[in-house]
Amino acid sequence: MEPTRPTLESVARRAGVSRQTVSNVLNSPDIVKAETTDRVRAAIAELGYRPSAAARQLRTGRSRVLGLRLEPVRDGINGAVLDRFLHALTESAETRGYRVMLFTAPDDAREIDRYRELLDTADLDAFVLTSTHRADTRAAWLAEHDVPFVSFGRPWDRADAGAAADDHPWVDVDGAAGTRAAVAHLRDLGHERIAYLGWPDGSDVGGDRAAGWTAAMVDAGHDGALLRRLHARVTDGVGSGAAATADLLDDVAPTAVVCASDSLALGAMTTARARGTGLAIVGFDDTPVAAAVGLTSVAQPLTEAAHRAVDLLLDQLDGTGGTRSRRVLLAPHLVARDTSHHP
Amino acid sequence: MEPTRPTLESVARRAGVSRQTVSNVLNSPDIVKAETTDRVRAAIAELGYRPSAAARQLRTGRSRVLGLRLEPVRDGINGAVLDRFLHALTESAETRGYRVMLFTAPDDAREIDRYRELLDTADLDAFVLTSTHRADTRAAWLAEHDVPFVSFGRPWDRADAGAAADDHPWVDVDGAAGTRAAVAHLRDLGHERIAYLGWPDGSDVGGDRAAGWTAAMVDAGHDGALLRRLHARVTDGVGSGAAATADLLDDVAPTAVVCASDSLALGAMTTARARGTGLAIVGFDDTPVAAAVGLTSVAQPLTEAAHRAVDLLLDQLDGTGGTRSRRVLLAPHLVARDTSHHP
């Protein structure tokens, strides 16, 4: 007998069930009894039957694939946050039967070109945006084209408009709450003169993190003139953090410093060690580097952020969610290590 | 007039071309003149036409999607290597019109279950395996089921069999060459008593890295008894690396140490700093932590590894490659930093 390509029909015959049952095992396994599923799966394996995924998608109209732009590797320290978000997103999506498809793009305009291409050439149910920023054209494009999406990062243009703004679904981490917690932690340890080592103006994420430190220091009774001297603004990096810390120590002699990133904090550690001072230091993002060198840092709840992002997508895809909020702002938490000490 | 769903026909009419030309723009854009492509794309955009990807796949029989298991985040230091490989793979695949689909699995057996599921329910052209090891059942399963794949990591069972072994296509980095280069670098700086801080026996990657150090030290004329004392075997981690380095310093007083990972090397740095000794240290993997703390480290050529892996996959998918080797062993290179110094 000639070997022939196995079909749905031959699987059904081998398993002693109807074609519809085989189809159900493939497309809606939750409505088939476990014992029947096992028998059909055994027949599929024995015969080497492989249903066409494309045919299946035409039937169900759902690919169960989420698209995400993978950003280029940056300095490796801060970029680890998005890599960890990707791991959490992939795991969270998988538990709900979805998978993550990656693509790349050098900028937002090209990212939109990719959306267009992917919608033309690959079946995707939704997109996950990261690194949102002011005047972000991606969300508007997706909304106009009725493509379900969620962003990890709030729509910064509308941050001032509050809950009334007609926002798309998003999940973000409250950076201001993180630096506020860092100041509280350092004040509990006895520090009063707490500097802030942040980025130049113009970064939304940076502005959010700086605002938490400012508010906490104002609450603690410090006046504006001192706060201006305690606030350093430098581009991110270990070297720039080290130099700015040296300037701060010379100028205002802080006993502690809160940093906008672990890179800056690592620079602060280098200067403090070189000078033999006991500067207390808090970084941001709790990257692997922080854990490795004993740096206290503010940790983003990335697993929860990914889980909530998938929730918001499934609400759109399945029409569930109802009155559930489509704007999720999560509180970070502080991980105390060796650089948390008294003045 | 009722709005109707745009079709291939209406796009062709609007662009003033044939249906076949529209189809070519969608499926084989390289055979269509740029000016025509622009006109067709404009018509597609104006009408909001969206061809069914599933229908397209049924026509072309190719999804242009590669599957990769995303491993759980481990200690964050060494895990960064696979994240960087993923970035490079996604970018390399994208330039050839392929995308990467991620899935997760807690172990190899479940990874094979996922292959089965993905082949049943999603169109994938091939898989990329990572973290190969002895008695790895995944490659055998994929080969048996005629699924194209490549591994980042050699088939360790057959490593001794040499080029004659009937290997599947793989790309790997020559760990032994890396540690050999580390010893040569340290000897150039004047070191003779060079310790090795590695993992317990049983790790193929670990054995490979240790072998390079052993061979280089034997070549340098050291006898076996000293080498045994200079070779520490500990589980990976900053703490275990620090403790083992203290033992090595007490026992054989090396002036330099080559490490199997940056985590171990970071531990060695901690001990050297605490003791105020000038121990020269070389890590492995050139992780972001190494760059941040000034650690000399052996760097894997991850971009090239990813590129060659995609080459090997396309050879299988397109029937190209001819006599090109299906086994690619790449040499790592050393990145010298502050921990490279004279005895």
Side-chain angles (χ1 to χ4, degrees), chain B residues 301-338:
Chain B
L302 296 169
T303 301
E304 189 183 356
H307 196 80
R308 300 291 288 275
V310 175
D311 279 347
L312 291 178
L313 281 180
L314 295 193
D315 285 351
Q316 296 172 69
L317 292 169
D318 299 336
T320 54
T323 57
R324 173 148 62 175
S325 172
R326 300 174 356 132
R327 295 168 208 111
V328 178
L329 190 61
L330 301 171
H333 66 279
L334 197 109
V335 181
R337 298 198 180 90
D338 305 348

Side-chain angles (χ1 to χ4, degrees), chain A residues 77 197 237-247 249 257 259 262-281 289 293-295 339, chain B residues 269 273 289-295 338:
Chain A
I77 298 182
L197 187 45
V238 178
S240 57
T245 302
D247 290 346
L249 288 170
V257 60
C259 305
D262 282 353
S263 307
L264 291 172
L266 205 64
M269 284 180 79
T270 309
T271 295
R273 184 178 294 134
R275 298 217 177 176
T277 75
L279 192 67
I281 303 166
V289 176
V293 302
L295 171 66
T339 60
Chain B
M269 284 180 78
R273 184 178 295 133
V289 176
V293 302
L295 171 66
D338 305 348

Side-chain angles (χ1 to χ4, degrees), chain A residues 67-150:
Chain A
L68 176 87
R69 168 184 172 191
L70 190 64
E71 300 192 16
V73 174
R74 282 178 293 192
D75 73 352
I77 298 182
N78 302 326
V81 172
L82 284 179
D83 284 335
R84 285 188 291 156
F85 176 74
L86 172 62
H87 280 268
L89 183 75
T90 303
E91 283 163 18
S92 186
E94 179 111 19
T95 61
R96 273 97 144 225
Y98 280 77
R99 278 161 189 125
V100 176
M101 167 112 67
L102 300 176
F103 60 97
T104 66
D107 54 42
D108 287 356
R110 249 80 63 94
E111 181 168 345
I112 291 173
D113 289 343
R114 288 275 186 267
Y115 295 159
R116 202 176 273 130
E117 274 172 49
L118 284 163
L119 292 170
D120 279 1
T121 62
D123 260 327
L124 287 171
D125 289 339
F127 287 95
V128 179
L129 269 62
T130 58
S131 303
T132 51
H133 53 84
R134 219 164 279 265
D136 196 322
T137 51
R138 302 172 298 166
W141 191 92
L142 290 168
E144 264 167 39
H145 290 75
D146 279 329
V147 181
F149 72 102
V150 67

Side-chain angles (χ1 to χ4, degrees), chain A residues 13-323:
Chain A
R13 220 163 30 228
R14 170 75 61 120
V17 300
S18 69
R19 282 169 50 99
Q20 185 56 48
T21 300
V22 177
S23 173
N24 287 344
V25 167
L26 296 170
N27 298 311
S28 316
D30 41 319
I31 66 169
V32 184
K33 273 192 289 189
E35 186 268 334
T36 309
T37 300
D38 289 348
R39 210 161 68 231
V40 170
R41 286 219 156 262
I44 286 171
E46 273 173 63
L47 296 174
Y49 173 66
R50 190 178 300 171
S52 160
R56 176 176 172 273
Q57 285 171 214
L58 282 179
R59 287 195 303 277
T60 64
R62 187 70 72 80
S63 65
R64 303 184 82 85
V65 176
L66 312 177
L68 176 87
R69 168 184 172 191
L70 190 64
E71 300 192 16
V73 174
R74 282 178 293 192
D75 73 352
I77 298 182
N78 302 326
V81 172
L82 284 179
D83 284 335
R84 285 188 291 156
F85 176 74
L86 172 62
H87 280 268
L89 183 75
T90 303
E91 283 163 18
S92 186
E94 179 111 19
T95 61
R96 273 97 144 225
Y98 280 77
R99 278 161 189 125
V100 176
M101 167 112 67
L102 300 176
F103 60 97
T104 66
D107 54 42
D108 287 356
R110 249 80 63 94
E111 181 168 345
I112 291 173
D113 289 343
R114 288 275 186 267
Y115 295 159
R116 202 176 273 130
E117 274 172 49
L118 284 163
L119 292 170
D120 279 1
T121 62
D123 260 327
L124 287 171
D125 289 339
F127 287 95
V128 179
L129 269 62
T130 58
S131 303
T132 51
H133 53 84
R134 219 164 279 265
D136 196 322
T137 51
R138 302 172 298 166
W141 191 92
L142 290 168
E144 264 167 39
H145 290 75
D146 279 329
V147 181
F149 72 102
V150 67
S151 66
F152 177 45
R154 68 198 88 168
W156 290 100
D157 291 320
R158 297 163 175 173
D160 302 327
D166 181 23
D167 293 338
H168 59 75
W170 55 263
V171 176
D172 203 354
V173 174
D174 190 342
T179 47
R180 205 191 291 260
V183 171
H185 171 71
L186 292 166
R187 294 192 71 230
D188 284 347
L189 289 167
H191 296 276
E192 274 307 319
R193 196 165 272 241
I194 302 165
Y196 184 73
L197 187 45
W199 303 318
D201 292 338
S203 152
D204 292 313
V205 172
D208 184 36
R209 293 181 185 179
W213 168 82
T214 306
M217 292 295 280
V218 168
D219 286 352
H222 294 290
D223 70 36
L226 178 65
L227 290 193
R228 274 189 292 281
R229 289 173 61 204
L230 282 169
H231 186 168
R233 291 171 176 83
V234 295
T235 54
D236 202 77
V238 178
S240 57
T245 302
D247 290 346
L248 281 168
L249 288 170
D250 292 342
D251 182 33
V252 279
T255 61
V257 60
V258 175
C259 305
S261 74
D262 282 353
S263 307
L264 291 172
L266 205 64
M269 284 180 79
T270 309
T271 295
R273 184 178 294 134
R275 298 217 177 176
T277 75
L279 192 67
I281 303 166
V282 180
F284 207 109
D285 278 346
D286 190 29
T287 60
V289 176
V293 302
L295 171 66
T296 295
S297 191
V298 176
Q300 299 198 34
L302 296 169
T303 301
E304 188 182 356
H307 196 81
R308 301 290 290 272
V310 175
D311 279 346
L312 291 177
L313 281 180
L314 296 193
D315 285 351
Q316 296 171 70
L317 293 168
D318 299 334
T320 53
T323 57

Side-chain angles (χ1 to χ4, degrees), chain A residues 288 291-293, chain B residues 74-79 197-200 209 232-246 257-271 281 283-285 287 289 295:
Chain A
V293 302
Chain B
R74 282 176 294 192
D75 73 353
I77 298 181
N78 302 326
L197 187 44
W199 302 318
R209 293 181 185 179
R233 291 171 177 83
V234 295
T235 53
D236 203 76
V238 178
S240 57
T245 301
V257 60
V258 174
C259 304
S261 75
D262 282 354
S263 306
L264 291 172
L266 205 63
M269 284 180 78
T270 309
T271 294
I281 303 164
F284 207 107
D285 278 344
T287 60
V289 176
L295 171 66

